[in-house]
Amino acid sequence: MSIVNRQKDNKSRFKRVFLIVLDSLGAGALPDAAEFGDAGAFTLRSLSRSEKLFIPTLRRLGIGNTEGLGFLGTNDSPEAAVCKLAEKSNGKDSTIGHWEMAGVISPNPLPTFPEGFPDEVLKEFSRITGRGVLCNKPYSGTQVIADFGEQHMCTGDLIVYTSADSVFQIAAHEEVVPLSELYRICEATRKMLVGRYGVGRVIARPFEGSPGSFVRTPHRHDYSIEPPGETMLDALKEAGLDVISVGKIKDLFAGRGLTASHATSGNAEGMKTTAELVESDFNGLCFVNLVDFDMLYGHRQDADGYANALTEFDKWLSEFLPKLREDDLLMITADHGCDPSDDSTDHTREYIPLMMYGKSILPVNLGIRPTFADIAATIAEIFGVEYTCCGNSMLGELTDLRQHLVASAVRAMENSYSPYSGYKVGAALLAASGRIYSGCNIENSAYSPTICAERTAFAKAVSEAEREFRMIAVAGGKDGIVSGIFPPCGVCRQVMKEFCGPELEIILVEPEGYQSHTLAELLPCGFSL
Ligand code: THU
């Protein structure tokens, strides 16, 4: 018997992580989507119905192997590990989504003000700015200066407006309120708007021109809210690693936890910058947001445009992958959904897909995971950085097949049908083909027809024409928690002997770690004809 311990030092294995967020590429409605008005939302499925979608590279990686994404085409020899992640935070916007993937959960959504801001906010705003307020409603940015610009010029009052997003926008004519003053006003407003008034962004919206022909100047400036806790980015930076932002990442984190940033005008520039960074030497994280999917196509309900943009990304990806080095990890994911075919232009509460690709990454399927924060936990572990969040690192499973089998057996416990014993048992069987078949125990009121988890897994595999097997992991316990080893019963051992040689590895999961045995050890004198 051999005892294998859980973790080894992964510090040296990876030098760079590229985390690319395809903004709004949702992988299907979350179980609570109806509470957000998003029952049935499914961004990726809407895209799959467009004739413009052509994503051979993502399919090569194995996007279609993700739970629920089989309609994109499954792949028997995927190149990437896949899973989908649920959002634990109470929201569906970019800020909260990115914060969660960096380890910070938001129990409340960022506040929106469809009726305008309450009196107490405006009173305080006027006190600190010494100016009155015009508008105070959700408004289009160009219309608001056309409708209120002249009055603003006469009175010096500030044009305050919002949108469906969590924003406090302040428009002012550059000759009435000099830019430096407008920026000071925005900074003070940012400091003022905390707690239940903590909007995602305060935005300076300067304009120029005369009544009838006002135009916005390029001096817009965003003041984002800081993440309300330590992020994985902060921890990486603190540890002396590079943390590079591409696109709106810098805004979403209010510039915190970054060592460099590259602003971009959209997907094309974001992809170009990322392709330049892959040629450069850095040690740490390159965190990229490609915003066009959401901004240009999702919100505008343009499924063909969205599908086209994903097709373009796929083509770029085919050229990017060969540039990755031995010690690189690529993660491709999203931050929320924005189904272009649902009945609103708003974001949608969806799972996010996650693909992980690298020379030392096993192309395993990590199922459905409970929080985006698993991304933060994984990246922190990759760089050996102390960081605690509610996420669980996937690194062990991504780099060690036994750990993956162990985790798959634990996940298989969930479906156990065991009303009589109360013991949930899960098994994960690795076939010579590389495929993993999971199984759970299925009990029966007559007791003897009960099928053990191991035999469920074997039955599934053999009925899919598998005949050769390498390893099987077994996990069991009450209440879904591994409580001790569950060695296979005599009948299961005999079934194993039918299909496997004496070298079959049987992994018995323990509350911490696991033990490994061979079939020869567990069945020294099995029956055969
Ligand atoms: N069981 C398994 O599924 N596999 C094992 O290795 C040992 C036992 C199940 C059968 C039954 O549903 C429950 O555990 C309690 O005996």
Side-chain angles (χ1 to χ4, degrees), residues 422-473:
Y423 282 103
K424 292 176 181 275
V425 186
L429 173 62
L430 174 66
S433 65
R435 286 188 66 175
I436 293 171
Y437 295 83
S438 63
C440 63
N441 56 331
I442 305 167
E443 296 187 342
N444 189 285
S445 61
Y447 288 26
S448 63
T450 289
I451 310 167
C452 293
E454 297 90 319
R455 273 177 288 138
T456 306
F458 268 95
K460 281 168 75 177
V462 172
S463 60
E464 293 296 316
E466 301 281 4
R467 291 293 184 272
E468 262 188 77
F469 302 94
R470 302 261 181 270
M471 293 180 200
I472 184 165

Short mmCIF file of all heavy atoms in Angstrom, two decimals, residues 422-473:
data_model
loop_
_atom_site.label_atom_id
_atom_site.label_comp_id
_atom_site.label_asym_id
_atom_site.label_seq_id
_atom_site.Cartn_x
_atom_site.Cartn_y
_atom_site.Cartn_z
N GLY A 422 -28.02 5.64 4.27
CA GLY A 422 -27.61 7.03 4.48
C GLY A 422 -26.17 7.28 4.07
O GLY A 422 -25.68 8.41 4.18
N TYR A 423 -25.48 6.25 3.59
CA TYR A 423 -24.09 6.45 3.15
C TYR A 423 -24.05 6.80 1.67
O TYR A 423 -24.55 6.05 0.84
CB TYR A 423 -23.25 5.19 3.39
CG TYR A 423 -22.86 5.04 4.84
CD1 TYR A 423 -23.51 4.13 5.67
CD2 TYR A 423 -21.84 5.83 5.37
CE1 TYR A 423 -23.16 4.02 7.01
CE2 TYR A 423 -21.49 5.73 6.71
CZ TYR A 423 -22.16 4.83 7.53
OH TYR A 423 -21.80 4.73 8.84
N LYS A 424 -23.47 7.94 1.37
CA LYS A 424 -23.30 8.32 -0.03
C LYS A 424 -21.92 7.85 -0.47
O LYS A 424 -20.92 8.19 0.16
CB LYS A 424 -23.38 9.84 -0.20
CG LYS A 424 -24.77 10.41 0.05
CD LYS A 424 -24.72 11.93 -0.05
CE LYS A 424 -26.09 12.55 0.23
NZ LYS A 424 -26.97 12.63 -0.91
N VAL A 425 -21.89 7.05 -1.56
CA VAL A 425 -20.61 6.56 -2.06
C VAL A 425 -20.47 7.00 -3.52
O VAL A 425 -21.44 6.98 -4.28
CB VAL A 425 -20.51 5.02 -1.94
CG1 VAL A 425 -19.10 4.54 -2.33
CG2 VAL A 425 -20.84 4.56 -0.52
N GLY A 426 -19.27 7.43 -3.89
CA GLY A 426 -19.01 7.84 -5.27
C GLY A 426 -17.76 7.14 -5.78
O GLY A 426 -16.84 6.85 -5.00
N ALA A 427 -17.74 6.83 -7.07
CA ALA A 427 -16.55 6.21 -7.66
C ALA A 427 -16.21 6.94 -8.95
O ALA A 427 -17.11 7.48 -9.62
CB ALA A 427 -16.81 4.73 -7.95
N ALA A 428 -14.94 6.98 -9.30
CA ALA A 428 -14.50 7.55 -10.58
C ALA A 428 -13.52 6.57 -11.20
O ALA A 428 -12.49 6.24 -10.59
CB ALA A 428 -13.85 8.91 -10.36
N LEU A 429 -13.88 6.07 -12.38
CA LEU A 429 -13.13 4.99 -13.03
C LEU A 429 -12.44 5.54 -14.27
O LEU A 429 -13.09 6.08 -15.17
CB LEU A 429 -14.13 3.89 -13.42
CG LEU A 429 -13.63 2.71 -14.26
CD1 LEU A 429 -12.56 1.92 -13.51
CD2 LEU A 429 -14.81 1.79 -14.61
N LEU A 430 -11.12 5.40 -14.30
CA LEU A 430 -10.34 5.89 -15.45
C LEU A 430 -10.13 4.75 -16.44
O LEU A 430 -9.49 3.74 -16.12
CB LEU A 430 -8.99 6.42 -14.97
CG LEU A 430 -8.00 6.84 -16.06
CD1 LEU A 430 -8.49 8.05 -16.84
CD2 LEU A 430 -6.62 7.12 -15.44
N ALA A 431 -10.68 4.92 -17.65
CA ALA A 431 -10.51 3.90 -18.69
C ALA A 431 -9.21 4.17 -19.45
O ALA A 431 -8.67 5.28 -19.40
CB ALA A 431 -11.71 3.94 -19.64
N ALA A 432 -8.74 3.15 -20.17
CA ALA A 432 -7.50 3.31 -20.95
C ALA A 432 -7.67 4.40 -22.01
O ALA A 432 -6.71 5.04 -22.42
CB ALA A 432 -7.13 1.99 -21.60
N SER A 433 -8.90 4.66 -22.43
CA SER A 433 -9.18 5.70 -23.43
C SER A 433 -8.90 7.09 -22.88
O SER A 433 -8.87 8.06 -23.63
CB SER A 433 -10.65 5.63 -23.85
OG SER A 433 -11.45 5.96 -22.72
N GLY A 434 -8.75 7.21 -21.56
CA GLY A 434 -8.57 8.52 -20.93
C GLY A 434 -9.87 9.06 -20.38
O GLY A 434 -9.87 10.03 -19.61
N ARG A 435 -10.98 8.45 -20.75
CA ARG A 435 -12.26 8.95 -20.24
C ARG A 435 -12.48 8.47 -18.81
O ARG A 435 -12.02 7.41 -18.41
CB ARG A 435 -13.41 8.46 -21.13
CG ARG A 435 -13.46 9.19 -22.44
CD ARG A 435 -14.70 8.85 -23.23
NE ARG A 435 -15.92 9.31 -22.59
CZ ARG A 435 -17.12 9.20 -23.14
NH1 ARG A 435 -17.25 8.66 -24.34
NH2 ARG A 435 -18.18 9.64 -22.51
N ILE A 436 -13.19 9.28 -18.06
CA ILE A 436 -13.47 8.95 -16.67
C ILE A 436 -14.98 8.74 -16.54
O ILE A 436 -15.77 9.57 -16.99
CB ILE A 436 -12.99 10.07 -15.74
CG1 ILE A 436 -11.46 10.13 -15.79
CG2 ILE A 436 -13.48 9.86 -14.31
CD1 ILE A 436 -10.86 11.33 -15.10
N TYR A 437 -15.35 7.59 -15.94
CA TYR A 437 -16.76 7.28 -15.73
C TYR A 437 -17.03 7.36 -14.24
O TYR A 437 -16.32 6.73 -13.45
CB TYR A 437 -17.09 5.89 -16.26
CG TYR A 437 -16.92 5.80 -17.76
CD1 TYR A 437 -15.65 5.59 -18.32
CD2 TYR A 437 -17.99 5.99 -18.61
CE1 TYR A 437 -15.47 5.55 -19.69
CE2 TYR A 437 -17.83 5.95 -20.00
CZ TYR A 437 -16.56 5.73 -20.52
OH TYR A 437 -16.40 5.70 -21.89
N SER A 438 -18.06 8.12 -13.86
CA SER A 438 -18.35 8.20 -12.43
C SER A 438 -19.57 7.37 -12.12
O SER A 438 -20.36 7.03 -13.02
CB SER A 438 -18.57 9.66 -12.04
OG SER A 438 -19.70 10.14 -12.72
N GLY A 439 -19.71 7.01 -10.87
CA GLY A 439 -20.88 6.23 -10.45
C GLY A 439 -21.16 6.46 -8.98
O GLY A 439 -20.30 6.92 -8.24
N CYS A 440 -22.43 6.17 -8.60
CA CYS A 440 -22.78 6.31 -7.18
C CYS A 440 -23.49 5.04 -6.75
O CYS A 440 -23.89 4.23 -7.59
CB CYS A 440 -23.68 7.52 -6.97
SG CYS A 440 -25.25 7.38 -7.82
N ASN A 441 -23.64 4.84 -5.45
CA ASN A 441 -24.40 3.68 -4.99
C ASN A 441 -25.89 3.92 -5.17
O ASN A 441 -26.38 5.03 -5.02
CB ASN A 441 -24.06 3.32 -3.53
CG ASN A 441 -24.26 4.47 -2.56
OD1 ASN A 441 -24.13 5.62 -2.94
ND2 ASN A 441 -24.57 4.16 -1.31
N ILE A 442 -26.60 2.83 -5.56
CA ILE A 442 -28.03 2.91 -5.82
C ILE A 442 -28.69 1.81 -4.99
O ILE A 442 -28.54 0.63 -5.29
CB ILE A 442 -28.33 2.71 -7.32
CG1 ILE A 442 -27.53 3.71 -8.17
CG2 ILE A 442 -29.83 2.84 -7.60
CD1 ILE A 442 -27.51 3.40 -9.67
N GLU A 443 -29.37 2.21 -3.91
CA GLU A 443 -29.90 1.20 -2.97
C GLU A 443 -31.30 0.75 -3.39
O GLU A 443 -31.93 1.32 -4.29
CB GLU A 443 -29.89 1.77 -1.55
CG GLU A 443 -28.46 2.04 -1.08
CD GLU A 443 -28.36 2.45 0.38
OE1 GLU A 443 -29.37 2.86 0.97
OE2 GLU A 443 -27.23 2.35 0.91
N ASN A 444 -31.76 -0.29 -2.72
CA ASN A 444 -33.07 -0.88 -3.04
C ASN A 444 -33.71 -1.34 -1.74
O ASN A 444 -33.02 -1.85 -0.85
CB ASN A 444 -32.87 -2.06 -3.99
CG ASN A 444 -34.18 -2.56 -4.53
OD1 ASN A 444 -34.93 -3.23 -3.83
ND2 ASN A 444 -34.46 -2.21 -5.77
N SER A 445 -35.03 -1.20 -1.66
CA SER A 445 -35.69 -1.56 -0.40
C SER A 445 -35.55 -3.04 -0.09
O SER A 445 -35.65 -3.46 1.06
CB SER A 445 -37.16 -1.14 -0.42
OG SER A 445 -37.81 -1.81 -1.47
N ALA A 446 -35.31 -3.87 -1.09
CA ALA A 446 -35.06 -5.29 -0.83
C ALA A 446 -33.57 -5.53 -0.51
O ALA A 446 -33.14 -6.69 -0.41
CB ALA A 446 -35.49 -6.13 -2.03
N TYR A 447 -32.85 -4.47 -0.34
CA TYR A 447 -31.43 -4.48 0.04
C TYR A 447 -30.49 -5.19 -0.95
O TYR A 447 -29.53 -4.59 -1.42
CB TYR A 447 -31.21 -5.07 1.46
CG TYR A 447 -31.69 -4.17 2.57
CD1 TYR A 447 -32.71 -3.23 2.35
CD2 TYR A 447 -31.15 -4.24 3.85
CE1 TYR A 447 -33.16 -2.39 3.37
CE2 TYR A 447 -31.60 -3.39 4.88
CZ TYR A 447 -32.60 -2.48 4.62
OH TYR A 447 -33.04 -1.67 5.61
N SER A 448 -30.76 -6.48 -1.25
CA SER A 448 -29.75 -7.18 -2.05
C SER A 448 -29.59 -6.65 -3.48
O SER A 448 -28.50 -6.75 -4.03
CB SER A 448 -29.99 -8.69 -2.05
OG SER A 448 -31.21 -8.98 -2.65
N PRO A 449 -30.64 -6.07 -4.10
CA PRO A 449 -30.38 -5.51 -5.44
C PRO A 449 -29.54 -4.23 -5.42
O PRO A 449 -29.29 -3.64 -6.48
CB PRO A 449 -31.79 -5.21 -5.98
CG PRO A 449 -32.73 -5.92 -5.10
CD PRO A 449 -32.07 -6.01 -3.76
N THR A 450 -29.11 -3.77 -4.26
CA THR A 450 -28.29 -2.56 -4.18
C THR A 450 -27.06 -2.66 -5.08
O THR A 450 -26.41 -3.71 -5.15
CB THR A 450 -27.87 -2.31 -2.72
OG1 THR A 450 -29.03 -1.91 -1.99
CG2 THR A 450 -26.79 -1.23 -2.61
N ILE A 451 -26.79 -1.59 -5.78
CA ILE A 451 -25.59 -1.54 -6.65
C ILE A 451 -24.59 -0.59 -6.02
O ILE A 451 -24.93 0.56 -5.71
CB ILE A 451 -25.95 -1.04 -8.07
CG1 ILE A 451 -27.14 -1.83 -8.62
CG2 ILE A 451 -24.75 -1.16 -9.00
CD1 ILE A 451 -27.74 -1.20 -9.87
N CYS A 452 -23.37 -1.05 -5.84
CA CYS A 452 -22.33 -0.19 -5.26
C CYS A 452 -21.87 0.83 -6.30
O CYS A 452 -22.03 0.62 -7.52
CB CYS A 452 -21.12 -1.02 -4.84
SG CYS A 452 -21.47 -2.12 -3.46
N ALA A 453 -21.26 1.90 -5.82
CA ALA A 453 -20.78 2.97 -6.69
C ALA A 453 -19.80 2.43 -7.75
O ALA A 453 -19.86 2.82 -8.92
CB ALA A 453 -20.09 4.04 -5.85
N GLU A 454 -18.92 1.53 -7.33
CA GLU A 454 -17.92 1.00 -8.26
C GLU A 454 -18.59 0.28 -9.43
O GLU A 454 -18.21 0.46 -10.59
CB GLU A 454 -17.00 -0.01 -7.56
CG GLU A 454 -16.18 0.55 -6.42
CD GLU A 454 -16.89 0.45 -5.08
OE1 GLU A 454 -18.12 0.70 -5.03
OE2 GLU A 454 -16.24 0.15 -4.08
N ARG A 455 -19.61 -0.53 -9.09
CA ARG A 455 -20.26 -1.29 -10.18
C ARG A 455 -21.08 -0.37 -11.08
O ARG A 455 -21.23 -0.62 -12.27
CB ARG A 455 -21.10 -2.43 -9.61
CG ARG A 455 -20.25 -3.69 -9.42
CD ARG A 455 -21.04 -4.81 -8.79
NE ARG A 455 -21.29 -4.54 -7.39
CZ ARG A 455 -22.45 -4.78 -6.77
NH1 ARG A 455 -23.47 -5.26 -7.45
NH2 ARG A 455 -22.58 -4.52 -5.48
N THR A 456 -21.63 0.69 -10.51
CA THR A 456 -22.34 1.66 -11.38
C THR A 456 -21.35 2.23 -12.39
O THR A 456 -21.64 2.31 -13.60
CB THR A 456 -22.94 2.81 -10.54
OG1 THR A 456 -23.76 2.25 -9.53
CG2 THR A 456 -23.75 3.75 -11.40
N ALA A 457 -20.17 2.59 -11.93
CA ALA A 457 -19.16 3.17 -12.83
C ALA A 457 -18.75 2.16 -13.88
O ALA A 457 -18.65 2.48 -15.08
CB ALA A 457 -17.95 3.64 -12.02
N PHE A 458 -18.49 0.91 -13.46
CA PHE A 458 -18.11 -0.13 -14.44
C PHE A 458 -19.22 -0.36 -15.45
O PHE A 458 -18.97 -0.50 -16.65
CB PHE A 458 -17.74 -1.44 -13.72
CG PHE A 458 -16.27 -1.53 -13.41
CD1 PHE A 458 -15.78 -1.14 -12.18
CD2 PHE A 458 -15.37 -1.98 -14.38
CE1 PHE A 458 -14.42 -1.20 -11.90
CE2 PHE A 458 -14.01 -2.04 -14.12
CZ PHE A 458 -13.52 -1.65 -12.87
N ALA A 459 -20.48 -0.40 -14.98
CA ALA A 459 -21.59 -0.66 -15.91
C ALA A 459 -21.68 0.46 -16.95
O ALA A 459 -21.87 0.20 -18.15
CB ALA A 459 -22.89 -0.77 -15.13
N LYS A 460 -21.50 1.71 -16.50
CA LYS A 460 -21.55 2.83 -17.45
C LYS A 460 -20.43 2.70 -18.49
O LYS A 460 -20.65 2.89 -19.68
CB LYS A 460 -21.42 4.16 -16.71
CG LYS A 460 -22.71 4.61 -16.05
CD LYS A 460 -22.48 5.77 -15.09
CE LYS A 460 -22.24 7.10 -15.78
NZ LYS A 460 -22.09 8.20 -14.80
N ALA A 461 -19.23 2.37 -18.03
CA ALA A 461 -18.07 2.32 -18.92
C ALA A 461 -18.17 1.16 -19.90
O ALA A 461 -17.99 1.33 -21.12
CB ALA A 461 -16.79 2.23 -18.10
N VAL A 462 -18.49 -0.03 -19.37
CA VAL A 462 -18.52 -1.21 -20.23
C VAL A 462 -19.63 -1.05 -21.28
O VAL A 462 -19.46 -1.43 -22.44
CB VAL A 462 -18.69 -2.50 -19.37
CG1 VAL A 462 -18.93 -3.71 -20.27
CG2 VAL A 462 -17.46 -2.70 -18.50
N SER A 463 -20.74 -0.43 -20.87
CA SER A 463 -21.82 -0.25 -21.85
C SER A 463 -21.49 0.84 -22.87
O SER A 463 -22.21 1.01 -23.85
CB SER A 463 -23.15 0.04 -21.14
OG SER A 463 -23.03 1.22 -20.39
N GLU A 464 -20.42 1.58 -22.66
CA GLU A 464 -19.92 2.52 -23.68
C GLU A 464 -18.75 1.90 -24.43
O GLU A 464 -17.92 2.61 -25.00
CB GLU A 464 -19.47 3.83 -23.03
CG GLU A 464 -20.59 4.65 -22.41
CD GLU A 464 -21.60 5.15 -23.42
OE1 GLU A 464 -21.19 5.62 -24.49
OE2 GLU A 464 -22.81 5.03 -23.14
N ALA A 465 -18.61 0.58 -24.35
CA ALA A 465 -17.60 -0.19 -25.10
C ALA A 465 -16.19 -0.11 -24.52
O ALA A 465 -15.24 -0.55 -25.14
CB ALA A 465 -17.58 0.20 -26.58
N GLU A 466 -16.03 0.43 -23.34
CA GLU A 466 -14.71 0.43 -22.71
C GLU A 466 -14.42 -0.98 -22.20
O GLU A 466 -15.30 -1.65 -21.64
CB GLU A 466 -14.66 1.40 -21.52
CG GLU A 466 -14.99 2.85 -21.86
CD GLU A 466 -13.82 3.60 -22.50
OE1 GLU A 466 -12.76 2.98 -22.76
OE2 GLU A 466 -13.99 4.81 -22.75
N ARG A 467 -13.17 -1.44 -22.37
CA ARG A 467 -12.82 -2.78 -21.86
C ARG A 467 -11.53 -2.77 -21.05
O ARG A 467 -11.16 -3.76 -20.46
CB ARG A 467 -12.67 -3.77 -23.03
CG ARG A 467 -13.98 -4.11 -23.73
CD ARG A 467 -14.94 -4.90 -22.83
NE ARG A 467 -16.14 -5.30 -23.54
CZ ARG A 467 -17.24 -4.54 -23.64
NH1 ARG A 467 -17.30 -3.35 -23.06
NH2 ARG A 467 -18.29 -4.97 -24.33
N GLU A 468 -10.79 -1.66 -21.08
CA GLU A 468 -9.52 -1.62 -20.36
C GLU A 468 -9.52 -0.46 -19.39
O GLU A 468 -9.96 0.65 -19.75
CB GLU A 468 -8.39 -1.37 -21.36
CG GLU A 468 -7.67 -2.61 -21.81
CD GLU A 468 -6.47 -2.21 -22.64
OE1 GLU A 468 -5.46 -1.79 -22.04
OE2 GLU A 468 -6.58 -2.28 -23.88
N PHE A 469 -9.01 -0.69 -18.19
CA PHE A 469 -9.09 0.34 -17.15
C PHE A 469 -7.77 0.49 -16.42
O PHE A 469 -6.98 -0.45 -16.33
CB PHE A 469 -10.22 -0.03 -16.17
CG PHE A 469 -11.54 -0.18 -16.86
CD1 PHE A 469 -11.99 -1.44 -17.29
CD2 PHE A 469 -12.31 0.93 -17.15
CE1 PHE A 469 -13.19 -1.57 -17.97
CE2 PHE A 469 -13.53 0.80 -17.83
CZ PHE A 469 -13.97 -0.45 -18.24
N ARG A 470 -7.54 1.72 -15.93
CA ARG A 470 -6.27 2.01 -15.26
C ARG A 470 -6.41 2.18 -13.75
O ARG A 470 -5.61 1.68 -12.98
CB ARG A 470 -5.69 3.32 -15.80
CG ARG A 470 -5.44 3.34 -17.29
CD ARG A 470 -3.98 3.06 -17.58
NE ARG A 470 -3.72 3.09 -19.01
CZ ARG A 470 -3.80 2.02 -19.80
NH1 ARG A 470 -4.13 0.82 -19.31
NH2 ARG A 470 -3.56 2.12 -21.09
N MET A 471 -7.39 2.94 -13.34
CA MET A 471 -7.52 3.27 -11.91
C MET A 471 -8.98 3.49 -11.57
O MET A 471 -9.77 3.87 -12.42
CB MET A 471 -6.86 4.63 -11.60
CG MET A 471 -5.39 4.70 -11.75
SD MET A 471 -4.93 6.41 -11.34
CE MET A 471 -3.35 6.43 -12.14
N ILE A 472 -9.29 3.28 -10.29
CA ILE A 472 -10.62 3.67 -9.80
C ILE A 472 -10.46 4.30 -8.41
O ILE A 472 -9.66 3.83 -7.60
CB ILE A 472 -11.59 2.46 -9.77
CG1 ILE A 472 -13.00 2.92 -9.36
CG2 ILE A 472 -11.09 1.33 -8.87
CD1 ILE A 472 -14.09 1.90 -9.64
N ALA A 473 -11.16 5.40 -8.19
CA ALA A 473 -11.16 6.03 -6.87
C ALA A 473 -12.53 5.86 -6.25
O ALA A 473 -13.54 5.91 -6.96
CB ALA A 473 -10.82 7.51 -7.00
#
